[in-house]
Amino acid sequence: MPKRSIWLASLRMQSYRMAWDASSQLQQLAQHLVLFRQTLDAPVLQKLDRPWVPREVKLLYQRLRAGWPWLQQRLEQGEALAYQQQVPLYVGEIDRFVLGLQRYTELKMQLVAASSLAGVIAIVALALLTIRFTRQQVVRSLRVEQQNE
């Protein structure tokens, strides 16, 4: 899931960059606000709204999205100090989301490993059953044929 990790690391970095912009580089702030919103609304993150994605992950993402408008308003109204004070808390939310997403990814990998193992076991079982069936049928046929001679 490298795409999501890149987006999430980008969210962290962008949050801090906007805190810097608010205090020293106001001309770039508007561009960075747009970029942050695009990252937060990225299609790869929107795909988390699927039935099989754990509820916790969905809630953490919704929390990120819900928390952003207040922070954006602080920046747009020139309240750099209020934004800077809240950035660590918001980045903490991003980190919790990353952790939830990581746990979900680990679960998916465990399911992939378990289904691979089940597949290998099924293949071996089918091979053994085929060998057994073939031996029984071939040996029985040969015995009957040998007795008839």
Side-chain angles (χ1 to χ4, degrees):
M1 196 145 72
K3 273 188 173 181
R4 287 191 186 129
S5 297
I6 291 169
W7 287 106
L8 296 171
S10 179
L11 284 174
R12 275 191 221 107
M13 185 270 307
Q14 288 180 57
S15 298
Y16 285 119
R17 181 175 57 194
M18 286 184 294
W20 171 258
D21 289 348
S23 63
S24 63
Q25 298 191 359
L26 290 174
Q27 68 276 10
Q28 293 184 339
L29 183 59
Q31 177 187 1
H32 291 158
L33 280 167
V34 169
L35 183 60
F36 185 87
R37 191 63 195 194
Q38 288 173 344
T39 305
L40 191 60
D41 294 336
V44 71
L45 295 176
Q46 295 291 324
K47 289 179 183 177
L48 294 173
D49 193 24
R50 302 242 169 104
W52 55 83
V53 175
R55 187 171 180 263
E56 175 194 4
V57 173
K58 290 179 191 179
L59 290 175
L60 289 169
Y61 180 58
Q62 289 170 0
R63 185 185 263 172
L64 275 183
R65 291 177 52 106
W68 174 242
W70 186 87
L71 289 168
Q72 182 177 4
Q73 225 175 18
R74 302 290 74 76
L75 287 170
E76 291 172 344
Q77 293 174 358
E79 299 174 23
L81 185 60
Y83 177 82
Q84 290 168 348
Q85 290 172 341
Q86 292 300 311
V87 163
L89 298 174
Y90 191 70
V91 168
E93 291 293 325
I94 293 171
D95 290 340
R96 280 186 281 286
F97 176 58
V98 169
L99 183 60
L101 206 51
Q102 182 178 350
R103 287 182 184 144
Y104 170 53
T105 302
E106 289 169 359
L107 174 65
K108 287 194 316 185
M109 292 305 295
Q110 289 171 351
L111 290 173
V112 166
S115 34
S116 295
L117 179 62
V120 167
I121 290 171
I123 289 170
V124 169
L126 282 171
L128 292 174
L129 286 172
T130 302
I131 291 169
R132 182 172 180 242
F133 177 77
T134 304
R135 279 185 180 168
Q136 287 176 346
Q137 296 302 314
V138 170
V139 169
R140 186 179 304 150
S141 296
L142 287 175
R143 283 188 187 155
V144 169
E145 197 173 300
Q146 225 175 17
Q147 289 175 355
N148 289 339
E149 288 181 5

